[in-house]
Amino acid sequence: MKTSLTEGALRPGRAALSIFAACAAAAVLVAAASLPNGFVYDDVWIIESNETIHQLDFGELLTAPFWPEERGNVMWRPVALTAFALQWTIGDGTPLVFHLGSTILYGLVAGMAGLLCARLFGPALGLVAGLLFAVHPVHVEVSANVVGQTELWSALGYIAALLAAWERSGSSSPRWRSLLLLLSLGSLMLGLGGKEQPVTLPGAIVVLWWLRARSGGLSVYDVAKREWHIQVLSCAVIAAFLLLRAEFGGGVVAAGGIATGLDPESVTNRIVTMLPVTLTWLRVLFVPLALSADYSPLHIVPETTFGANHVIALLLWMCLFALTYLLRDRLRALVVGVALFVVTISVVSNVVVPLEVLMAERLLLLPSLGWALAVAAGMQVVYENAVRPAQRRRMLAALGFVLVLLAVRSLTRARVWSSNDVFFAQLIEDAPNSFRSHWAIGYFALESGDSALGEQELLTAVRLNPEHPQLLEDFGRLYASTGRYEPAIPLLSHAVSIDSTRLSAALPLALSLARLGRTQEALAVVDNMTRVHGETRGILLVRGEVLMRGRHFARAVEVLMELIGREPNVWSVRLMAAEAAFEAGRCEFALAQTDTALSLAPEAEEATVIAFRSRVANGNANCK
């Protein structure tokens, strides 16, 4: 294998380009089945109803949280949001453009995966690993669901950064090494802007240092001494990303909730809980027949005490690591594949940082590259040890048959994300005991106007998982939106007690309290949120309404005028300020605000403003 850039490492010949093209084409073939799909599940909140991406305001796109305020106001993924906004603008919101974007992105990721494996271990192994990656059904959740583009941007940046780091470690040209350093760091930024998995890149780079050392008869220390710049700068980029995520995304590790069974304070608990889940990882990778649209409790039952499944998982991983160690010199591709799997899955394994889900197929996109490399390495050994040509032909035929089966499974599974009706039906079939199944059905039943079914399904979801803040918030907001404030308050209050920064639950909680006459409690909630988030638009608006409900009209005018100072062209806030001023006896001020509101209001709302103006004018004599 050539290892110098001056010998053509970044000028791949026909073999490398053919591998890239073959893997990309296979991926596009299976992903294209998703082109007729619509917006499904998370797509509705992130794409269809998210005003942030409906316009190309790059300042807002680069600073806005990934999840909108009504879904938690958490996470920071500027590359993904910007890509969504561009696709929305290009297609005027049509799902086809988004699914076409996902198909192209998935092709690029699979092509890069094959190219990386080929650069590491030669064209034959690279082609097999790349094809296994390209057609694997566990990736369908990513390629068929528009929000899955976050995973694709992340994987594309990660693999490109890793490839650049590998080529740099084999180059002796200062000019090329500098360019590759910039390429690796730029790719890392791209990946981090899509999703958080590239924070593990420094660990993957160390794995490649080991391979470079073994290939060149060096020690890892020798390679590290020469390549330390890329590691230090990568860590600096990651640190900067985490600081920006804390600023714009609600915290360094904010994930919107913690899965049932995980203790955020105990690494030991999380290791014990996740050990049996690793068996599910291996099952869906090696035998992807019984896949699921959801793996949350109680579809996967968290096992927090050591039992039989823990023993099986522990023995299996111990055997795998022992085998990898024993074969470290004879089968380096297996070692690198296993190591890359462990490194890339670490951040989504719930061990380092607890997440909202115990497992999801989308989280296996990057780790499955290591799996594909390890499996391809095993296949290559068996193939090379086959003595007779007929045996080799049968092996190639078997490989082709497996790839076809995987591709067919991917093609048939793509329709699961065709519409919400199909998705929810499959959700119940795949995971009938999952709280998330009932939650999703209930939420969208409410959206379609079926409040009875929505309430029934949300009650079931809360019974199955009473500690999920977003679920509690959704249910509480349902009650609040229909005027049932008494049952809304304990649900919203519990959501805030679980996540004390949860503005999207705290504001409807404050309004519910105020509408029941509990003004002081409502103001206490608003004050707590102000200490955490500052005086945001939503907080000022709610504080104004709470003060009005408590008949503190003069204070309400002050608060609303502060908001008007920031947003002078919002007619509804002007009208609200006019109402507070009128109740405070400031009729001339109320008339002035009403006239301004009338000039700003849309035609459909003009009658409302005119009616209030008449009320103010008729009550003018009674004003002080």
Side-chain angles (χ1 to χ4, degrees):
M1 183 194 305
K2 296 178 181 179
T3 58
S4 171
L5 289 177
T6 56
E7 296 175 320
L10 269 193
R11 302 181 185 120
R14 290 182 180 178
L17 290 175
S18 297
I19 289 167
F20 177 90
C23 296
V28 167
L29 176 66
V30 296
S34 305
L35 290 177
N37 289 1
F39 292 128
V40 175
Y41 200 30
D42 286 350
D43 295 347
V44 175
W45 299 303
I46 300 297
I47 309 294
E48 195 170 28
S49 62
N50 186 3
E51 294 296 330
T52 300
I53 69 138
H54 293 175
Q55 54 189 345
L56 281 177
D57 183 343
F58 292 106
E60 184 175 6
L61 290 167
L62 293 175
T63 57
F66 180 71
W67 285 97
E69 183 174 327
E70 63 271 19
R71 305 302 299 174
N73 231 14
V74 293
M75 303 183 189
W76 183 62
R77 296 168 181 170
V79 169
L81 277 187
T82 303
F84 290 149
L86 288 169
Q87 291 167 86
W88 184 277
T89 301
I90 291 170
D92 197 24
T94 178
L96 176 61
V97 172
F98 287 90
H99 288 292
L100 181 60
S102 295
T103 299
I104 294 171
L105 269 176
Y106 185 51
L108 290 173
V109 170
M112 291 294 291
L115 182 60
L116 173 64
C117 294
R119 297 301 298 151
L120 295 178
F121 297 107
L125 192 146
L127 179 62
V128 174
L131 290 176
L132 284 171
F133 180 89
V135 301
H136 202 291
V138 83
H139 300 161
V140 175
E141 182 182 5
V142 172
S143 61
N145 182 344
V146 174
V147 174
Q149 287 186 21
T150 60
E151 307 283 351
L152 294 172
W153 286 114
S154 176
L156 183 63
Y158 196 112
I159 296 170
L162 205 56
L163 180 59
W166 169 255
E167 300 291 357
R168 184 180 190 274
S169 69
S171 173
S172 57
S173 165
R175 179 172 64 91
W176 279 113
R177 283 175 56 80
S178 297
L179 287 174
L180 284 168
L181 176 63
L182 293 175
L183 178 60
S184 183
L185 295 176
S187 299
L188 173 59
M189 293 177 191
L190 174 72
L192 288 169
K195 204 169 182 180
E196 298 77 12
Q197 275 87 332
V199 297
T200 65
L201 182 71
I205 289 176
V206 171
V207 174
L208 296 195
W209 285 355
W210 174 87
L211 179 61
R212 180 65 74 188
R214 290 281 174 168
S215 303
L218 305 170
S219 68
V220 175
Y221 174 79
D222 292 331
V223 179
K225 185 177 179 181
R226 186 167 182 252
E227 299 297 316
W228 65 269
H229 309 82
I230 195 168
Q231 195 72 297
V232 170
L233 291 174
S234 295
C235 289
V237 168
I238 291 168
F241 163 76
L242 293 175
L243 290 174
L244 290 170
R245 191 180 194 273
E247 175 68 22
F248 301 126
V252 174
V253 296
I258 297 174
T260 301
L262 299 178
D263 182 351
E265 305 300 327
S266 172
V267 173
T268 302
N269 159 270
R270 300 200 295 273
I271 292 173
V272 171
T273 302
M274 289 303 297
L275 256 179
V277 179
T278 64
L279 297 176
T280 306
W281 295 347
L282 299 178
R283 176 182 63 77
V284 299
L285 286 171
F286 282 100
V287 189
L289 295 176
L291 299 175
S292 175
D294 182 66
Y295 291 87
S296 60
L298 294 165
H299 180 55
I300 290 183
V301 179
E303 299 180 47
T304 56
T305 56
F306 210 83
N309 285 331
H310 295 81
V311 173
I312 294 170
L314 192 58
L315 288 175
L316 185 62
W317 286 106
M318 288 174 64
C319 290
L320 177 61
F321 290 144
L323 180 65
T324 303
Y325 180 78
L326 291 173
L327 296 175
R328 64 190 183 279
D329 290 319
R330 287 178 288 171
L331 199 54
R332 292 171 186 163
L334 174 66
V335 177
V336 172
V338 171
L340 287 179
F341 180 88
V342 172
V343 168
T344 53
I345 208 164
S346 62
V347 74
V348 295
S349 67
N350 285 305
V351 173
V352 179
V353 176
L355 305 179
E356 189 178 5
V357 294
L358 291 176
M359 177 195 153
E361 290 172 16
R362 63 184 179 275
L363 301 182
L364 293 175
L365 177 67
L366 259 177
S368 68
L369 173 58
W371 170 86
L373 179 57
V375 170
M379 290 181 175
Q380 187 177 46
V381 169
V382 175
Y383 179 83
E384 290 175 349
N385 286 333
V387 178
R388 300 176 182 176
Q391 291 177 319
R392 293 191 169 189
R393 287 196 295 271
R394 283 195 291 271
M395 280 195 62
L396 291 176
L399 172 61
F401 182 66
V402 168
L403 290 173
V404 169
L405 287 179
L406 292 173
V408 169
R409 182 75 175 105
S410 293
L411 289 168
T412 57
R413 187 159 173 75
R415 70 174 297 274
V416 170
W417 284 267
S418 59
S419 69
N420 272 331
D421 289 342
V422 174
F423 177 76
F424 294 140
Q426 191 66 45
L427 200 62
I428 287 294
E429 182 178 334
D430 291 344
N433 295 321
S434 167
F435 85 94
R436 199 177 298 275
S437 300
H438 296 281
W439 177 14
I441 293 170
Y443 186 93
F444 284 99
L446 296 174
E447 290 284 300
S448 64
D450 191 343
S451 58
L453 175 61
E455 184 173 359
Q456 175 186 333
E457 290 295 326
L458 288 175
L459 280 169
T460 302
V462 171
R463 178 176 53 80
L464 291 172
N465 188 1
E467 300 298 322
H468 195 287
Q470 187 65 60
L471 170 59
L472 295 166
E473 178 189 320
D474 279 355
F475 204 179
R477 289 168 71 102
L478 159 66
Y479 280 139
S481 67
T482 55
R484 289 178 285 178
Y485 305 119
E486 288 285 2
I489 289 171
L491 290 166
L492 295 168
S493 181
H494 190 26
V496 174
S497 70
I498 296 171
D499 180 1
S500 60
T501 67
R502 199 170 192 84
L503 185 64
S504 53
L507 295 185
L509 171 60
L511 291 175
S512 296
L513 290 166
R515 287 165 186 172
L516 290 178
R518 297 159 64 176
T519 306
Q520 294 307 312
E521 293 175 69
L523 287 174
V525 172
V526 175
D527 288 342
N528 286 335
M529 288 299 110
T530 302
R531 281 191 285 271
V532 175
H533 298 282
E535 291 190 326
T536 66
R537 179 188 189 279
I539 287 176
L540 287 173
L541 199 59
V542 169
R543 185 185 292 278
E545 180 171 338
V546 169
L547 289 169
M548 289 176 67
R549 292 275 177 176
R551 306 192 63 80
H552 303 292
F553 297 115
R555 289 174 59 195
V557 171
E558 293 176 5
V559 170
L560 293 169
M561 288 310 297
E562 182 178 343
L563 183 54
I564 287 171
R566 300 184 193 177
E567 301 180 358
N569 297 323
V570 181
W571 73 273
S572 57
V573 179
R574 292 272 186 181
L575 185 60
M576 191 173 172
E579 291 175 358
F582 176 66
E583 296 294 344
R586 298 173 60 185
C587 289
E588 289 186 8
F589 181 82
L591 280 171
Q593 293 301 318
T594 304
D595 289 340
T596 306
L598 184 60
S599 68
L600 297 171
E603 186 176 344
E605 301 294 342
E606 287 179 356
T608 301
V609 183
I610 291 170
F612 179 74
R613 193 186 190 289
S614 298
R615 180 185 166 202
V616 175
N618 292 334
N620 191 55
N622 298 321
C623 289
K624 297 178 182 179

